[in-house]
Amino acid sequence: MYKTSIFQKNIARHSTESEKAIGFDNCNVDISTKHLRITNGGTELLNSDLKFLEEDFSTISYLGKYKNRIEFRVIRPTDLSLANLKNRFDCEAAFSIASVDPSSYAVHFILSNSNQSPNIGNVVDKGKKEQVQRLIDGSIRALQVNLQSNFIDFSKRILSLISDTRELMEYNNADQIVEVMKANRHIFSETENKQIK
């Protein structure tokens, strides 16, 4: 059993689930590849089976469900990513709880033994602006290396975070993305097209 400590929050859209995930700070956690249980002072806050979702070069992701049946992702770092976190925070492990929609929320925890004092410092709090800028940067990189499907995915995620593309003018390099969106309106839904101005 480990103790949780939040080291980063990425909250683009607040929800009951994002607040619930933030509430898992400083709790006891029992986590495996099949199950996640979080308690605080003997009270069970979360008890979910986990189902394998995907694996990439630095993480393994699982799917779980809150009591209200809303799904969430559990992301666990692997190999070099895990080694970097262990070295940075003097911890045993780490995991994140995030929405299934990658444009909503992610709360990142380190896990330590009860006798450890993790070196967290200030919790990094990233919101909508940081996420939109990251998606713009990713969209530009996708265009540069001719990965159209990645551009479509990133641009649709951008549109899910804003009312219309005029909001993007305060971001670096956004004008390039807006022009490509305008030139390719046929790949967007009717609702998304209304946001492209």
Side-chain angles (χ1 to χ4, degrees):
M1 179 103 36
Y2 295 113
K3 192 72 140 178
T4 62
S5 299
I6 294 176
F7 71 90
Q8 184 172 318
K9 298 183 286 187
N10 298 19
I11 312 286
R13 287 191 305 253
H14 286 274
S15 65
T16 303
E17 287 73 35
S18 68
E19 294 305 313
K20 190 176 294 188
I22 291 168
F24 298 149
D25 190 31
N26 202 28
C27 290
N28 293 313
V29 67
D30 185 13
I31 187 168
S32 71
T33 59
K34 303 272 186 207
H35 199 82
L36 174 63
R37 183 171 184 257
I38 299 175
T39 59
N40 189 3
T43 302
E44 187 174 87
L45 304 178
L46 179 68
N47 191 353
S48 176
D49 290 331
L50 298 177
K51 183 175 94 174
F52 175 79
L53 191 59
E54 62 187 358
E55 183 172 1
D56 62 27
F57 67 94
S58 64
T59 62
I60 299 176
S61 297
Y62 304 90
L63 201 59
K65 287 184 182 177
Y66 291 112
K67 285 181 184 178
N68 62 5
R69 311 304 294 158
I70 292 178
E71 294 181 322
F72 61 89
R73 290 179 299 137
V74 171
I75 304 110
R76 299 188 73 183
T78 59
D79 303 325
L80 186 58
S81 295
L82 180 57
N84 286 338
L85 287 170
K86 284 181 172 184
N87 184 49
R88 179 178 165 196
F89 294 115
D90 187 27
C91 64
E92 295 298 314
F95 79 108
S96 302
I97 293 183
S99 62
V100 173
D101 170 8
S103 301
S104 186
Y105 73 91
V107 181
H108 308 281
F109 301 90
I110 59 163
L111 301 175
S112 54
N113 290 320
S114 58
N115 61 346
Q116 284 179 301
S117 296
N119 179 25
I120 294 174
N122 293 329
V123 173
V124 176
D125 199 351
K126 294 183 179 179
K128 177 180 167 181
K129 287 190 178 219
E130 292 87 356
Q131 192 162 1
V132 170
Q133 186 62 60
R134 188 174 49 85
L135 289 167
I136 289 169
D137 296 342
S139 296
I140 289 172
R141 282 192 298 279
L143 289 173
Q144 290 170 341
V145 294
N146 206 25
L147 293 172
Q148 289 87 1
S149 63
N150 288 49
F151 172 80
I152 293 167
D153 178 49
F154 293 151
S155 59
K156 286 183 177 221
R157 287 170 58 188
I158 291 168
L159 290 172
S160 75
L161 292 169
I162 61 172
S163 300
D164 66 62
T165 53
R166 291 180 291 212
E167 288 180 44
L168 297 178
M169 293 309 115
E170 66 183 84
Y171 294 92
N172 296 331
N173 303 314
D175 53 338
Q176 297 171 42
I177 301 306
V178 173
E179 289 307 311
V180 175
M181 287 180 186
K182 286 179 179 177
N184 293 282
R185 287 181 180 270
H186 62 281
I187 63 175
F188 298 98
S189 72
E190 185 178 323
T191 302
E192 291 164 339
N193 261 303
K194 288 178 183 174
Q195 293 176 272
I196 301 172
K197 300 192 180 193

